Amino acid sequence: MDAFTAGILQRIESTESDLHRAREAGDVFTMDVEQAELDDLRRLAAEHGVSVL
């Protein structure tokens, strides 16, 4: 696995965790921010052929 792939997968995992915590806390603003970040990271991964489960 190259550095880009490892980095993007780590960022996705971290963002998913942050989104989960925001949902548990009921923090709507942070949920929106984290969801947008997650969408961007998934798009970026797909554009570069990185498979995200």
Side-chain angles (χ1 to χ4, degrees):
M1 177 180 311
D2 64 22
F4 175 80
T5 300
I8 198 86
L9 292 175
Q10 176 57 42
R11 288 181 61 197
I12 288 171
E13 183 179 322
S14 176
T15 303
E16 287 174 336
S17 293
D18 293 344
L19 177 58
H20 179 74
R21 281 193 296 278
R23 283 184 179 145
E24 286 181 336
D27 184 345
V28 176
F29 175 76
T30 302
M31 286 170 43
D32 289 344
V33 170
E34 296 300 338
Q35 185 62 60
E37 177 72 9
L38 187 57
D39 293 344
D40 286 343
L41 289 168
R42 287 181 174 161
R43 177 191 50 77
L44 184 61
E47 287 175 359
H48 291 278
V50 176
S51 178
V52 178
L53 300 176

